[in-house]
Amino acid sequence: MAGQKTAPAGIIFDIQHFSLHDGPGIRSTVFFKGCPLACRWCGNPESQRQEAQLMYFTQLCAACGNCVKACPNHAMSLAAGGVRFNPSPCTACGACVPGCLRGARKVSGKRLDVREISDEVRQHWRIFQQSGGGVTVSGGEPLAQRDFLLALLMELHDEAGLSTCLDTCAKAPWPVLERMLPHLDLVLLDIKHIDDEKHREWTGSGNADILFNARKLAGSRCAVLVRVPLIPGFNDADAELYDIADFLAETGLKRVEIMPCHALGLGKYRALGKVYSLPVTAKPRVPEAVDILKGAGIEVEVHSMI
Ligand code: SF4
Ligand code: SF4
């Protein structure tokens, strides 16, 4: 209709309800697709690219060939024991998904607009009220879709009156993050490492802007809860933990959740044709991390696995 505005839209790879670990109370979590980092331990590798992607779970495939026939782009051929997939012509159109009776194919990533997301999460408003919960935007990195994120937060927080929480790696210009704060009740802020070089080596990007944003957040009026993904061989040596503890004590960010890393996303790496490069049996040094952070006067909780 002439003059009618379309609602801002973004690319989302999941909406999970009844989340217990993404902020206070019972929450709905909206997962944005696309991230400026590529952490080696990422438990949601499908979150990294800001576009729809086909996932193929080879262990479920019965080599029936339905998907080969359904593909308009000839991205597949039958091969011994399964399907040979050529990602180049694949447009993630999803034509191969419905005919796969084994559930071996899935398209991750869908464009949704603010109204569609709001309608879905608002169905849970009574649970939010009773539990002190609300909506968490996570990812991927929500700030990578800044205009859509702002529109969504304004809708959920300002219009619907819901509690909102941003789960972020804080890899964004400060003014972008600052614009979101009036529409947020809590920021879940990832701090992964204090050393810029090691951060770059393990996530693909340095951390100067992240630490800058952490300081700015600490000085803001928004509630902040720091999350430290604890990764064996990356940030769980004593010296690294002391660096994190010192930084947090110095900035005054004194509430921390430690998130021990476990290799949970392995099947998804295979489904995307990616390689998981960390040793799957290594365990992070959780008790040592708790002791060191508590020793710096920081309130610590150990959280569920990522
Ligand atoms: S998602 Fe579309 S283009 Fe890609 S393999 Fe399936 S049918 Fe072919
Ligand atoms: S339709 Fe599913 S089960 Fe059949 S060949 Fe394709 S991926 Fe395998």
Side-chain angles (χ1 to χ4, degrees):
M1 196 186 296
Q4 195 171 345
K5 275 187 166 173
T6 49
I11 184 156
I12 300 297
F13 72 92
D14 203 2
I15 300 179
Q16 286 177 6
H17 301 291
F18 312 109
S19 302
L20 297 172
H21 302 300
D22 292 323
I26 301 174
R27 310 189 72 82
S28 292
T29 304
V30 181
F31 291 88
F32 282 47
K33 200 159 171 4
C35 184
L37 303 183
C39 304
R40 287 193 198 172
W41 61 87
C42 182
N44 288 321
E46 76 276 33
S47 73
Q48 294 177 348
R49 277 171 54 182
Q50 201 174 313
E51 61 184 357
Q53 283 173 282
L54 179 71
M55 300 177 81
Y56 170 37
F57 297 90
T58 51
Q59 70 278 17
L60 299 176
C61 177
C64 69
N66 287 350
C67 57
V68 177
K69 286 180 242 155
C71 178
N73 297 319
H74 310 290
M76 288 170 291
S77 55
L78 269 177
V83 169
R84 185 175 298 126
F85 176 53
N86 175 8
S88 311
C90 175
T91 56
C93 68
C96 57
V97 174
C100 179
L101 305 179
R102 303 291 295 261
R105 303 193 156 261
K106 174 187 170 187
V107 172
S108 171
K110 188 174 176 188
R111 278 196 87 72
L112 291 175
D113 68 35
V114 164
R115 174 55 45 201
E116 290 170 303
I117 296 171
S118 179
D119 287 349
E120 178 168 342
V121 299
R122 277 186 198 222
Q123 293 172 28
H124 298 260
W125 70 270
R126 193 181 294 278
I127 293 168
F128 300 154
Q129 268 193 335
Q130 287 168 349
S131 68
V135 182
T136 296
V137 283
S138 183
E141 173 50 60
L143 293 168
Q145 299 184 58
R146 59 183 76 172
D147 295 336
F148 170 58
L149 174 62
L150 182 62
L152 182 63
L153 291 176
M154 289 171 76
E155 160 66 23
L156 298 176
H157 183 273
D158 306 354
E159 295 296 323
L162 300 178
S163 152
T164 53
C165 170
L166 170 67
D167 179 13
T168 180
C169 72
K171 184 79 188 169
W174 167 247
V176 172
L177 179 48
E178 189 180 28
R179 271 173 77 204
M180 309 300 164
L181 299 186
H183 317 288
L184 284 168
D185 296 294
L186 176 67
V187 174
L188 299 174
L189 168 68
D190 260 29
I191 297 290
K192 306 178 204 302
H193 208 288
I194 302 304
D195 181 74
D196 184 72
E197 263 317 300
K198 191 147 186 193
H199 195 281
R200 189 182 305 278
E201 189 188 329
W202 282 65
T203 72
S205 188
N207 65 359
D209 43 2
I210 294 171
L211 299 184
F212 177 84
N213 287 340
R215 289 195 170 91
K216 296 293 267 182
L217 277 173
S220 78
R221 292 164 66 175
C222 193
V224 179
L225 174 61
V226 172
R227 289 178 145 185
V228 177
L230 199 64
I231 317 298
F234 169 57
N235 62 359
D236 68 341
D238 281 1
E240 290 159 330
L241 294 166
Y242 279 116
D243 283 350
I244 293 172
D246 289 348
F247 175 80
L248 297 176
E250 176 219 320
T251 53
L253 292 167
K254 296 228 168 162
R255 285 177 61 218
V256 172
E257 282 180 357
I258 291 176
M259 320 273 290
C261 175
H262 299 266
L264 287 181
L266 272 180
K268 297 198 225 175
Y269 276 80
R270 287 194 204 104
L272 290 164
K274 295 174 83 130
V275 176
Y276 186 78
S277 61
L278 299 186
V280 291
T281 50
K283 299 265 186 295
R285 298 170 69 236
V286 178
E288 292 84 353
V290 171
D291 285 350
I292 288 172
L293 290 168
K294 280 191 173 169
I298 291 162
E299 197 184 307
V300 185
E301 272 186 40
V302 178
H303 216 304
S304 58
M305 300 176 288
I306 58 169

